[in-house]
Amino acid sequence: LTFLMVLGIGIASLVLAFGLYIIFTAPDFDATQLYNKEATVLYDRNGIEITRYGKENRVLVTYNDLPQVFVDALVAVEDSRFFQHNGFDAARFMKASFGQALGNSSAGGASTLTMQLVKNTYTSSEASGIRGIIRKFTDIYMAVFKIEKKFTKEEILEFYVNSQEFGIGGTNYGSINGVEQASQYYFGKSVSDLNLSEASLLVGLFNNPYLYNPYRNPEGCTNRRNVVLSLMERHGYISEEQKEAAEQIPVQSLLKPKDDSSKSNPYQAFIDYVVEEVRTRTGVNPYQVPMAIYTTLDTTIQDVVNNVQNG
C-alpha cells in the first residue's frame, strides 16, 4: 500500500510539473502575429535569390463576410464539433492518437481548428519525441485557455481563415494570403459570393495549396473538392442531391482566366517541386513558416530548357 501511495504521488507530481512547464513556457497569444510573417526565401545553387513567399497583400474578412456554405464546408472538413468543444476535442484526440499509434493512416488528425491556429502561428509542426509531446500539449493549453476563453467561435474562425496562405499567385501577384485574396485570385469574386462548389474547392486548398492547385492539378483539385462535399453530406450540411450536383461542375469552369499580372515565375515548376519536397521531409509548410531554402537550380541551364520548350 505504501509503495502504491508513493508511486501515485510520484506520478501526480510528474503530471503537475509537466503541466506547470507547459503553462510557464507557452507563448502569449498576440493576434497581430497572425498576419505578419517573415518571408520564405529560395536561392539557386550560387546563393542568388529565386523567389520569396512574403509579398503581403491580405484583405481581412469578418465572420459575417463568410457565406454559410463556406463555414459549413470548413467545419465539416477541419473540425466537425468546432462549435461544441472548448478548444480541445477529447474524443477526436483519443481516436486519432490510438489510430496513429496502430498505424492507421486514415484515423484523422487530433488537432481541433483552434489547435491548428496555435500550431500554425505560435508553436511548430514538431510531431515526434518529447518535443512533439510538449508541442501538442502546448497547443491544447493555448487553445483552451488563451484563445477559447478570450474569443468567440466566430472570431476564432476569422483568425483562421485570414491567416491561411494559399501559395504563390505569380511573379507580380505575390503570396496568396487569406480566403478573400484566394477567392479573388481563383474565382474573380469575393468569398461572400461563393457557391457550394466554389466554397468546397477553396476549403480543399487549406490542406495543401500546392498539391491541389486547380490551375496545375485540376484532377487532384476535383478529387479533393469531392472529398469536402462528401464530408458535408455526412455531417448533414447538404443533401445527396446537392452533393452530386456540385460534383458535376468541372473545376476549370469555376476558375477565372489567369492574366499577365499572375504570370508564373519561369522556374515555377522547380519551385513547386522544392516546396513539396521540403514539406515531405520536414513536415513544415514553407508558406506558413519562414525559411531560407538553398536549392540546386542552375538558372543558366534552366533558361536554355525553357527556351527550347517555348519554341
Side-chain angles (χ1 to χ4, degrees):
L1 180 60
T2 301
F3 172 76
L4 292 177
M5 290 179 62
V6 171
L7 180 63
I9 293 172
I11 293 175
S13 298
L14 288 174
V15 171
L16 177 61
F18 181 75
L20 291 174
Y21 176 82
I22 294 296
I23 291 173
F24 286 114
T25 60
D28 292 327
F29 180 81
D30 180 1
T32 61
Q33 294 182 36
L34 289 166
Y35 316 126
N36 294 282
K37 297 183 175 70
E38 296 179 9
T40 283
V41 184
L42 275 76
Y43 299 93
D44 69 9
R45 63 182 299 172
N46 298 313
I48 299 174
E49 181 179 319
I50 306 171
T51 189
R52 64 174 54 215
Y53 303 142
K55 183 180 176 182
E56 297 285 337
N57 185 21
R58 193 188 307 269
V59 179
L60 301 183
V61 296
T62 67
Y63 181 82
N64 291 332
D65 295 322
L66 304 175
Q68 190 61 47
V69 67
F70 177 85
V71 174
D72 292 344
L74 183 62
V75 171
V77 173
E78 299 294 337
D79 188 353
S80 61
R81 286 188 286 272
F82 172 71
F83 286 101
Q84 285 76 50
H85 63 62
N86 66 342
F88 174 62
D89 188 338
R92 174 191 177 114
F93 185 86
M94 295 298 291
K95 176 184 176 183
S97 298
F98 279 117
Q100 292 169 7
L102 296 173
N104 181 8
S105 60
S106 62
S111 296
T112 63
L113 190 151
T114 316
M115 290 168 62
Q116 291 179 48
L117 181 64
V118 173
K119 181 184 70 174
N120 291 342
T121 310
Y122 301 99
T123 56
S124 70
S125 297
E126 183 68 54
S128 59
I130 186 62
R131 290 184 179 180
I133 295 174
I134 292 173
R135 193 272 299 170
K136 180 65 71 174
F137 279 92
T138 301
D139 291 349
I140 294 172
Y141 167 71
M142 290 191 64
V144 175
F145 295 102
K146 291 198 174 184
I147 299 183
E148 294 272 351
K149 289 289 186 181
K150 298 179 180 179
F151 302 98
T152 66
K153 291 290 187 177
E154 291 77 13
E155 289 173 323
I156 294 169
L157 271 180
E158 288 179 16
F159 290 143
Y160 188 77
V161 301
N162 284 316
S163 64
Q164 290 294 312
E165 306 245 351
F166 293 86
I168 295 294
T171 305
N172 299 322
Y173 199 91
S175 300
I176 305 173
N177 305 290
V179 293
E180 177 63 22
Q181 192 187 22
S183 182
Q184 294 287 354
Y185 177 74
Y186 290 114
F187 309 118
K189 61 171 69 173
S190 172
V191 67
S192 60
D193 298 323
L194 296 182
N195 59 37
L196 173 59
S197 192
E198 293 165 340
S200 56
L201 187 159
L202 190 58
V203 167
L205 294 178
F206 278 74
N207 181 261
N208 190 325
Y210 160 74
L211 183 61
Y212 302 118
N213 185 297
Y215 288 117
R216 295 194 295 270
N217 184 13
E219 181 178 357
C221 180
T222 298
N223 293 336
R224 180 62 184 169
R225 179 199 63 179
N226 293 348
V227 168
V228 175
L229 291 168
S230 295
L231 288 170
M232 293 182 71
E233 182 199 5
R234 179 189 302 176
H235 292 292
Y237 291 114
I238 60 174
S239 65
E240 182 178 1
E241 291 74 19
Q242 289 175 305
K243 176 180 80 73
E244 293 177 349
E247 288 176 340
Q248 295 303 312
I249 302 175
V251 162
Q252 294 89 332
S253 69
L254 301 173
L255 305 175
K256 75 170 188 178
K258 297 182 71 173
D259 55 31
D260 292 338
S261 66
S262 60
K263 186 184 298 182
S264 294
N265 187 298
Y267 314 118
Q268 193 64 47
F270 181 87
I271 292 169
D272 291 341
Y273 177 84
V274 169
V275 168
E276 188 61 19
E277 183 74 9
V278 170
R279 285 173 56 100
T280 301
R281 291 192 178 190
T282 68
V284 177
N285 187 349
Y287 293 135
Q288 297 173 339
V289 179
M291 300 181 183
I293 303 174
Y294 294 87
T295 75
T296 59
L297 177 67
D298 187 321
T299 56
T300 302
I301 296 176
Q302 189 61 49
D303 288 340
V304 173
V305 173
N306 290 345
N307 290 334
V308 172
Q309 290 179 338
N310 296 330

